[in-house]
Amino acid sequence: MQATQKTRVLTGITTTGTPHLGNYVGAIKPAIEASQDPNVQSFYFLADYHALIKCQDPERVQASRLEIAATWLALGLDTDNAIFYRQSDLIEVQELAWFLSCVCAKGLMNRAHAYKAAVAENEEAGNQDPDRGITMGLFGYPVLMAADILMFNAHKVPVGRDQIQHIEMARDMAGRFNHLFKGEYFTLPEAVVDQKVEVLKGLDGRKMSKSYNNTIPLFTPEKKLLKLVRKIKTNSLEPGEPKDPDGCTLFQIYSAFASDQDVAAMRQQYADGIGWGDAKNQLFDYLNTHLEAPRERYNALMEDPGYIESVLQKGAERAREQAAASMEKLRAAVGLGRFV
Ligand code: TRP
């Protein structure tokens, strides 16, 4: 099958945090699996330009980029197959973002959830200026994201539910550009929201998220992992009392990792009244067994940033080859082509 006929799947990871179990189950694992499909050309990138919107702590951004890259490599992403790169290595993305800015209605951006939420917060706080503290970066966030996607004419964009609107906006911009400049320059992308992939719960039972400070970092050292698992909130039922696995955070995390058979066995243990301490130990053992080998690889990779840099440079080279070719056409389309 020719490369051009493959389905192009693209997604970005904002580099502001340390990957946790929820990221792994919800995004990283399915993405690495999808990239093994020979009918797919996947593009995975560190959305580090996007990171600057949320985070003005350079050390955090720098550390997060390295951690996220090391995580994907440690978990076995095949970078000969998937194109794995840093957004900020593709200066072309900024150029395309500008082209799209010039066809994107301001009113469309006014309706973006993230911007609206920031305005609502100002209004609730009684600020006179509803735009107080809101940067152009935040306001134009969906344009940059559209540039990421449209640059490679991605067909499918796996994202969380909160990002669906951004994909719709990218379609809007693509359609507008095609119409204005009379050509099929861009493919209209589709959001893919995996219904099967559960949103993992965190230590306190709410969605596992950096903003709730309730995460279990994926490659936390073994001792720390045990400590965190012990912190997972349970109810006050005693050992011997039957317990309901559905809705139980421990059981949910266990289920995300274990085989169907082991999940069924655990379900039976709940019915038989397993004690919480015992359930936590079993969860820890399961996680630790699964994470031990990639954790070792992760630690080794973190010690070797030069290697990670070289992998990302290679990815950027492959991505830029395509991006540069697209930009040449797009420049000509808008009237910024060469004279001869
Ligand atoms: N905004 C996305 C998020 O926060 C990250 C992202 C940036 C992205 N560019 C993208 C996702 C392009 C998919 C496609 O999750």
Side-chain angles (χ1 to χ4, degrees), residues 10-14 45 47 50 54 141 145 148-149 157 159 163:
L10 174 145
T11 199
I13 316 101
T14 308
F45 66 96
H50 275 104
K54 294 195 222 168
Y141 178 120
M145 190 159 154
D148 294 330
I149 298 167
V157 187
V159 281
Q163 300 289 321

Side-chain angles (χ1 to χ4, degrees), residues 144-299:
L144 179 56
M145 190 159 154
D148 294 330
I149 298 167
L150 301 181
M151 178 65 85
F152 298 103
N153 282 315
H155 300 105
K156 295 190 188 265
V157 187
V159 281
R161 209 166 287 284
D162 60 320
Q163 300 289 321
I164 297 176
Q165 187 196 32
H166 295 151
I167 315 301
E168 283 164 2
M169 289 175 159
R171 291 171 66 91
D172 200 300
M173 287 175 236
R176 183 101 193 106
F177 190 100
N178 287 347
H179 173 75
L180 276 170
F181 298 105
K182 301 182 182 58
E184 286 303 308
Y185 294 102
F186 295 123
T187 306
L188 304 196
E190 250 175 70
V192 185
V193 180
D194 199 330
Q195 307 292 348
K196 290 192 308 277
V197 173
E198 272 189 289
V199 173
L200 215 61
K201 294 193 216 187
L203 300 178
D204 58 359
R206 290 188 291 173
K207 171 189 170 186
M208 191 180 286
S209 161
K210 189 169 61 87
S211 35
Y212 294 147
N213 203 11
N214 66 354
T215 68
I216 301 179
L218 191 52
F219 295 131
T220 200
E222 192 171 316
K223 276 194 188 142
K224 189 83 205 292
L225 178 64
L226 178 59
K227 245 191 176 162
L228 287 170
V229 168
R230 293 219 165 116
K231 266 173 80 174
I232 295 173
K233 206 170 128 195
T234 51
N235 59 27
S236 55
L237 291 175
E238 298 288 333
E241 292 184 79
K243 297 174 177 66
D244 184 7
D246 300 309
C248 171
T249 305
L250 274 181
F251 185 78
Q252 195 222 12
I253 299 179
Y254 186 86
S255 308
F257 284 84
S259 65
D260 290 351
Q261 225 180 359
D262 289 339
V263 173
M266 182 57 90
R267 190 173 273 285
Q268 187 57 46
Q269 291 195 66
Y270 268 63
D272 295 343
I274 187 174
W276 289 129
D278 194 2
K280 286 180 174 180
N281 285 340
Q282 290 196 37
L283 172 61
F284 165 76
D285 285 340
Y286 220 105
L287 289 177
N288 200 42
T289 310
H290 272 73
L291 297 176
E292 228 165 3
R295 187 199 292 131
E296 249 171 59
R297 285 196 293 272
Y298 174 82
N299 290 335

